């Protein structure tokens, strides 16, 4: 049999071209969404004024404060949080071979939220206020993240163990995640029961999930950790491709399946813990973004992972803009919009399974 290298190369280029075009489309869309997010709100900022502010030629001190103290941190937080949750969801779906997996559906988000709440209320790693903007201020990020990660990782290990059990279907894992989510939600409610009025109001606001509560120091921690962990996932994209075919095939290709699965779940749980600790629970981004992207460019993680990361950032940013604009001058938490978006998609995925 004769193989034509030129034909194979042409086929490969056709295979990758539309994926690369889609990635470029997402990048352009995200840049435009970032500019729009900074511009819209209770105070509209025109593009000329925005460029003037960004180039240190602000027409007024008021506009400069709005951009640098409110809009820009909120916008970048939405981008980073959406990217991190989407990347975590994509990896969980791959290493668990479960199309319904995500930090929210598996209960990992709720576990991280309980760990963070426990750290803030019991271990004293944060301060609380009665307003939405200062509901919870993290004074000891290391302690808060360690507590959130400990509970998230414990949940992830349990889910991984169940995934390796003979006959464990995707639905069984999701039902386990629902049970664990209910358990940790009950734990959070127990903490709220013993809280005083200010603490109770703060914790209720915090559990809504909102990207408007971070400042620049929070954003730096969030960005560094998320970027590092997403980089780790991108470096393992070929391993995830091999594992999608099956554990035995992956072993034959030299992939250390158990190690890759554990490290992937640890990294996904850690990025989820960081995001939940600073912005609260934001659901369904890790489920919706990978499925939307997979329908367009397929399952090749070399393209699926970066595209899902960009799509997650774009979806959360667009949801945050909608939450800001729908009831002006009132601003809704973004988690409300992601729930409205994700719940129908999740139900549709369940109904499509045979």
């Amino acid at each position: 049999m004769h193989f034509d290298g030129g034909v194979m190369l042409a086929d490969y280029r056709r295979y990758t071209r539309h994926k690369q075009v889609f990635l470029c489309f997402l990048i352009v869309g995200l840049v435009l969404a970032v500019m729009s997010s900074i511009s819209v709100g209770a105070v509209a900022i025109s593009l000329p004024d925005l460029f003037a502010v960004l180039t240190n030629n602000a027409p007024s001190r008021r506009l400069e404060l709005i951009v640098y103290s409110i809009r820009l941190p909120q916008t970048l937080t939405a981008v980073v949080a959406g990217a991190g949750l989407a990347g975590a969801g994509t990896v969980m779906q791959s290493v668990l071979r479960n199309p319904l997996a995500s930090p929210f559906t598996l209960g990992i988000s709720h576990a991280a939220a309980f760990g963070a709440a426990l750290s803030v209320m019991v271990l004293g790693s944060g301060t609380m206020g009665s307003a939405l903007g200062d509901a919870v201020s993290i004074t000891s990020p290391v302690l808060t993240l360690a507590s959130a990660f400990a509970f998230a990782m414990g949940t992830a290990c349990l889910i991984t163990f169940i995934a390796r059990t003979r006959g464990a279907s995707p639905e069984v894992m999701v039902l386990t995640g629902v049970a664990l989510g209910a358990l940790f939600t009950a734990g959070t409610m127990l903490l709220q029961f013993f809280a005083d009025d200010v603490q109770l109001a703060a914790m209720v606001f915090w559990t809504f999930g909102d990207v408007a509560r971070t400042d620049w120091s929070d954003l730096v921690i969030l960005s560094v950790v998320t970027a590092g962990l997403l980089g780790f996932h991108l470096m393992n994209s070929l391993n995830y491709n091999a594992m999608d075919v099956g554990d035995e095939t992956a072993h034959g290709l030299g992939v250390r399946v158990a190690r890759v699965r554990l490290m992937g779940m640890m990294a996904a749980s850690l990025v989820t813990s960081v995001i939940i600790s600073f912005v609260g629970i934001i659901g369904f981004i890790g489920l919706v973004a990978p499925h939307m992207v997979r329908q367009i460019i397929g399952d090749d993680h070399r393209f699926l992972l970066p595209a899902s990361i960009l799509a997650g950032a774009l979806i959360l940013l667009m949801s945050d803009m909608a939450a800001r604009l729908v009831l002006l001058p009132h601003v809704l938490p973004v988690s409300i919009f992601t729930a409205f978006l994700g719940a129908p998609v999740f139900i549709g995925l369940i109904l499509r399974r045979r």
Side-chain angles (χ1 to χ4, degrees), residues 6 69 111 113 124 137 147 162-163 172 195 208 228 232 252 276 307:
S69 299
S137 298
S147 179
I162 293 173
V172 169
F208 282 159
F232 170 81
I276 297 300

Side-chain angles (χ1 to χ4, degrees), residues 232-280:
F232 170 81
H233 290 316
L234 291 171
M235 291 173 59
N236 280 278
S237 58
L238 292 177
N239 291 335
Y240 299 147
N241 280 346
M243 291 174 64
D244 277 350
V245 181
D247 288 359
E248 292 184 1
T249 302
H251 276 300
L253 294 173
V255 177
R256 300 170 64 181
V257 174
R259 181 177 182 275
V260 171
R261 179 174 285 118
L262 179 60
M263 295 299 293
M265 289 296 291
M266 285 184 64
S269 299
L270 180 55
V271 73
T272 301
S273 303
V274 173
I275 294 169
I276 297 300
S277 298
F278 286 109
V279 304

Side-chain angles (χ1 to χ4, degrees), residues 13 27 30-31 44 52 89 107 127-128 153 167 179 197 235 239 291 308 311:
R13 287 175 176 172
I27 292 172
L30 184 58
V31 171
T127 59
M128 299 186 180
M153 193 60 220
D197 293 343
M235 291 173 59
N239 291 335
H291 278 284
S308 296

